Amino acid sequence: MGIERPDQVILKAENLSKRFAVKSPSLFGRATSEVLAVDNVSLQLKAGETLALVGESGCGKSTLAKIFATLLKSDSGIISFGKTVIGNAGSQELRDVRKKLQLVFQDPFASLNPRLSIRDILTEPLKIHGSLPREDFHKAAVDVLAAVGLEASDLLKYPHQFSGGQRQRIAIARALISNPELIIADEPLSALDVSVQSQIINLLMRLKQDRNLTYLIISHNLPVVSHMADRVAVMYLGAVVESGPVESIFTSPQHPYTRLLLSSAPKLSAKKRSDRRSQSKEKPLGHLEKTGCPFHERCPKPQEICRNNRPNLENVRGITYDHTVACHFPDND
């Protein structure tokens, strides 16, 4: 997976945070606490690469993706898409960003309007963004369907007439028709049968090559991440606790949470399964930060400094220049 424009940063986040109020189950439903869904996240995505966000459910991956896609507004921090600072952008600049940044959602059936034909679903982005003259809509829809392996005759059908894998192809086609630079794919395989997941993986990788795309992929499927991604960012309780090249993360994980995630993949060894159970006691996710490392209550070897001082995300010595970890005692044992 070569990066054709390695020096161009297409998406940059600096110190992003997002909180949500938690309502009491009482009669009046007043907000009594807050959840810190995204906690001071900084990362960047270079043009032509694939960055994967991984972590348990509730760790903030999807919230972060929605902030990048301008579906949610962060409480603090800066997002830049190319040369555009999104927080300072006017309506036309935001429209240009949304044209170049498209989403593929987890459930293709829920993300496609059942009352619209495939032709209307695909041409709607062209109408919104004014990308093409109306006389060119039909050809654009036919071409993008062909790119995802469907036929021109499918334009007159409706979403319920397709299988799950075909619907995901249609969702990908809808994202492609605006000729985006970046596609954010939020668990694009998890709603699909295992038998078709590999087909969608191959399709995404081919489209990336053919169309010079950049991907931000959210996934629980670590084998898929290892196959598709160039870099990985591991999230826990809204924060990035480790990031780096995919080979480095998978072969030399430095954070105990990253090692826990990797050990959670099915293995034949009974000992590995036993070790995994002993370390996998869940902590309630998302409430406001406490003193110290957010993982120290689940860490197998917490020290006093871990309970009292929060570690910064810093480069790991002796591994690779862009492998970073937020841990006082990183190692790969």
Side-chain angles (χ1 to χ4, degrees):
M1 288 174 285
I3 300 174
E4 296 187 16
R5 295 162 291 170
D7 296 326
Q8 181 183 345
V9 175
I10 190 172
L11 182 69
K12 184 176 182 180
E14 300 175 80
N15 308 118
L16 292 185
S17 293
K18 179 66 180 179
R19 300 170 186 239
F20 293 103
V22 178
K23 292 185 177 180
S24 166
S26 67
L27 176 64
F28 298 103
R30 295 176 179 173
T32 57
S33 62
E34 289 184 317
V35 166
L36 186 60
V38 176
D39 183 6
N40 198 38
V41 169
S42 296
L43 55 79
Q44 63 182 28
L45 180 56
K46 294 180 181 179
E49 74 174 352
T50 297
L51 172 65
L53 291 178
V54 302
E56 293 167 302
S57 296
C59 72
K61 306 184 302 295
S62 293
T63 300
L64 184 60
K66 290 176 182 177
I67 293 173
F68 288 151
T70 71
L71 298 178
L72 285 176
K73 186 175 180 180
S74 65
D75 296 328
S76 59
I78 299 172
I79 307 173
S80 301
F81 184 83
K83 296 181 179 180
T84 302
V85 178
I86 289 178
N88 299 332
S91 58
Q92 184 57 51
E93 286 181 303
L94 280 178
R95 181 171 298 216
D96 292 340
V97 167
R98 289 168 179 152
K99 177 182 175 182
K100 297 174 183 177
L101 188 160
Q102 292 291 311
L103 280 161
V104 176
F105 294 97
Q106 178 175 350
D107 186 348
F109 192 69
S111 68
L112 300 176
N113 189 331
R115 297 185 177 185
L116 295 183
S117 68
I118 304 308
R119 178 175 58 190
D120 290 338
I121 288 172
L122 294 181
T123 57
E124 187 175 30
L126 300 178
K127 297 173 185 176
I128 292 172
H129 296 296
S131 305
L132 290 171
R134 282 187 175 269
E135 56 268 25
D136 295 334
F137 281 11
H138 180 77
K139 183 179 184 304
V142 170
D143 289 345
V144 79
L145 275 186
V148 299
L150 296 175
E151 304 292 333
S153 58
D154 292 326
L155 286 173
L156 300 179
K157 297 178 182 178
Y158 288 80
H160 72 273
Q161 295 176 271
F162 296 90
S163 67
Q166 289 172 323
R167 286 195 290 265
Q168 195 63 299
R169 289 173 185 268
I170 293 166
I172 293 169
R174 179 180 57 185
L176 289 176
I177 201 164
S178 299
N179 291 317
E181 297 176 13
L182 169 62
I183 289 181
I184 299 175
D186 189 355
E187 294 282 2
L189 307 176
S190 62
L192 305 179
D193 292 338
V194 174
S195 59
V196 300
Q197 287 184 4
S198 61
Q199 298 173 22
I200 300 301
I201 291 171
N202 292 334
L203 172 64
L204 289 170
M205 294 182 71
R206 176 175 59 79
L207 291 170
K208 179 189 175 189
Q209 181 80 19
D210 293 347
R211 294 174 176 252
N212 201 23
L213 294 169
T214 304
Y215 286 152
L216 175 63
I217 293 180
I218 297 167
S219 181
H220 287 89
N221 193 323
L222 295 179
V224 169
V225 168
S226 68
H227 184 61
M228 292 188 66
D230 298 298
R231 290 193 301 118
V232 180
V234 182
M235 292 189 69
Y236 182 72
L237 289 181
V240 174
V241 297
E242 186 166 5
S243 69
V246 63
E247 298 87 354
S248 183
I249 293 290
F250 275 76
T251 60
S252 301
Q254 298 295 296
H255 198 282
Y257 179 61
T258 307
R259 296 197 296 274
L260 177 60
L261 284 181
L262 294 176
S263 73
S264 297
K267 291 182 175 67
L268 295 177
S269 168
K271 182 179 185 302
K272 289 290 185 181
R273 289 196 298 269
S274 176
D275 291 345
R276 187 165 67 245
R277 285 195 298 267
S278 69
Q279 297 183 36
S280 62
K281 181 181 178 182
E282 287 196 15
K283 173 185 175 183
L285 298 180
H287 285 279
L288 287 180
E289 67 273 31
K290 299 179 181 179
T291 302
C293 173
F295 191 67
H296 79 266
E297 292 180 12
R298 294 176 66 184
C299 183
K301 299 178 181 179
Q303 306 296 318
E304 191 64 26
I305 190 175
C306 304
R307 299 183 180 94
N308 298 318
N309 297 91
R310 183 162 185 157
N312 296 319
L313 195 65
E314 297 178 343
N315 284 91
V316 180
R317 294 182 180 179
I319 295 183
T320 178
Y321 77 96
D322 56 354
H323 188 150
T324 59
V325 63
C327 182
H328 292 298
F329 303 98
D331 63 58
N332 59 357
D333 293 336

